[in-house]
Amino acid sequence: MKPVNLNQARKTKTRAEAKAKADENAVRFGRTKAQKVLEATQAAQASSRLSQLKFDDD
């Protein structure tokens, strides 16, 4: 039987738990690059449309 370094075992377990939580959060909250680009484009179009509709009071 080979001796086990408990510090390494504990760190490995912690890393595995953190990776699992990160993967879960990525599925739950993550957006694809295409979604981010689409939202940015829509926001730019809305801003442009709003600025076109403003009245100038001179």
Side-chain angles (χ1 to χ4, degrees):
M1 189 149 142
K2 185 177 176 184
V4 177
N5 185 335
L6 295 179
N7 286 330
Q8 287 180 347
R10 186 173 31 250
K11 288 179 182 181
T12 302
K13 181 181 175 187
T14 304
R15 283 188 197 112
E17 290 172 356
K19 174 110 173 81
K21 186 173 182 179
D23 291 341
E24 180 183 329
N25 285 341
V27 169
R28 189 181 316 165
F29 300 111
R31 295 181 297 165
T32 64
K33 185 174 182 179
Q35 289 171 331
K36 291 177 187 176
V37 170
L38 177 65
E39 289 176 6
T41 303
Q42 288 174 341
Q45 287 175 344
S47 176
S48 174
R49 178 77 175 140
L50 183 62
S51 66
Q52 290 173 1
L53 295 175
K54 286 185 179 177
F55 289 107
D56 289 330
D57 291 334
D58 289 341

